[in-house]
Amino acid sequence: MARPTTTRARTERRVRQRDFWQRRYDEDPTFFGPEESDFARWCRPILRSEAGLREVVELGCGYGRDARYLSSEGFHVRAVDLVRRSEPSSTAPRAAVEPIESDCLEFLTTLPRGKVGAVYSNMFLNMDFTEREHRDLMRAIHRALAPRGLHLFSVRSTSDPWYGRGRRVRPDTYDPSPHRVTMHFFSEAYADRLAKGLFEPVRRTERSEGGSDFPIRLWYFADRRVG
Ligand SMILES: C[S@@+](CC[C@H](N)C(=O)[O-])C[C@H]1O[C@@H](n2cnc3c(N)ncnc32)[C@H](O)[C@@H]1O
């Protein structure tokens, strides 16, 4: 059983995350833009080439731009976030998905074992998680996925221009100004360590995004459940 201090620290980090993202989306309901992410477009052919894949679970879906896109591509999407956002009316969904308000780890543990075709997340796993929490999440994703199911995720990279800025919180984890939200930056080796014994690589690439306004660098991972 987790020690009380660990549980309290975990809860405090969740509350900080929720308050931060709640404020961001209140200020700008389409903070990341009204369209789906580049990562969702990268995943589309991978998802479509999987025979019989119907169900996708999205973790940390924000205001649902990628959930809406994947749903319009014909997948049955269940999307989860700490913050509950309705779709902004200006981006009137062709295929709306009503997000589920929950901590992702708690949500994953409610799913039946081995049923989901794909677990998807864009810039979620690089949020304020310790290595132990990352390991818990990877195990919970593995448990929820069907045999040979896909785990698709994008994360901020250690070669991101924001890496190392602001206050250092843990290894590869910083509060970069001006946003003051804690982020974990992924090296390829860290992702491989987390996946060891649970997932094997299908495809991966490192990409720059955000143009000159807000340049960031992301790892895109498509992994397959083993075991
Ligand atoms: C960088 S935003 C990305 C949002 C969305 N994936 C997108 O690309 O538009 C990260 C999201 O993760 C959510 N989040 C952070 N920690 C979470 C947790 N433990 N459980 C569920 N959602 C979480 C935040 O509320 C936020 O909406």
Side-chain angles (χ1 to χ4, degrees):
M1 202 173 77
R3 283 174 297 140
T5 46
T6 312
T7 311
R8 192 163 54 241
R10 189 182 277 222
T11 304
E12 282 168 9
R13 276 183 282 111
R14 292 297 159 280
V15 170
R16 273 206 303 277
Q17 280 285 316
R18 197 197 54 215
D19 291 352
F20 174 85
W21 289 106
Q22 185 73 62
R23 275 199 309 277
R24 279 283 87 80
Y25 300 143
D26 284 347
E27 284 162 16
D28 181 354
T30 55
F31 181 69
F32 295 106
E35 304 297 333
E36 71 276 4
S37 65
D38 290 344
F39 179 61
R41 284 195 288 272
W42 183 81
C43 289
R44 178 181 177 272
I46 302 174
L47 287 165
R48 288 184 79 103
S49 66
E50 289 291 297
L53 194 159
R54 288 279 307 122
E55 182 158 29
V56 177
V57 166
E58 182 181 2
L59 308 178
C61 64
Y63 49 91
R65 60 187 180 134
D66 287 349
R68 186 176 74 245
Y69 170 70
L70 295 173
S71 177
S72 73
E73 287 293 318
F75 298 102
H76 175 249
V77 183
R78 273 186 291 170
V80 188
D81 201 287
L82 281 176
V83 176
R84 187 186 182 96
R85 299 301 300 185
S86 294
E87 290 278 355
S89 54
S90 59
T91 63
R94 274 165 300 162
V97 177
E98 194 54 52
I100 300 159
E101 183 182 346
S102 173
D103 172 78
C104 281
L105 184 60
E106 283 169 20
F107 173 77
L108 285 165
T109 58
T110 66
L111 297 178
R113 185 182 289 272
K115 296 281 186 225
V116 176
V119 173
Y120 169 95
S121 64
N122 183 51
M123 297 189 294
F124 159 72
L125 283 168
N126 57 225
M127 292 290 101
D128 191 5
F129 298 113
T130 62
E131 180 163 351
R132 178 177 167 171
E133 288 166 353
H134 276 137
R135 290 191 181 284
D136 289 347
L137 278 162
M138 289 290 179
R139 272 194 297 272
I141 291 164
H142 181 272
R143 177 191 161 280
L145 280 173
R148 311 289 294 156
L150 292 174
H151 181 208
L152 310 168
F153 64 102
S154 78
V155 278
R156 302 284 288 267
S157 161
T158 48
S159 52
D160 189 295
W162 291 85
Y163 177 83
R165 290 201 205 173
R167 187 171 67 91
R168 182 181 181 276
V169 179
R170 290 183 297 278
D172 293 340
T173 309
Y174 296 89
D175 275 345
S177 54
H179 289 315
R180 300 285 173 210
V181 64
T182 304
M183 277 189 288
H184 180 90
F185 295 82
F186 274 62
S187 64
E188 192 174 16
Y190 183 72
D192 283 342
R193 225 164 57 228
L194 294 177
K196 197 166 177 216
L198 301 174
F199 301 99
E200 65 187 16
V202 173
R203 201 175 298 175
R204 65 179 54 174
T205 185
E206 204 182 7
R207 296 273 174 99
S208 294
E209 290 186 10
S212 53
D213 288 350
F214 195 87
I216 61 171
R217 196 150 171 87
L218 297 174
W219 273 109
Y220 289 4
F221 290 100
D223 288 352
R224 191 180 292 287
R225 185 191 139 155
V226 294

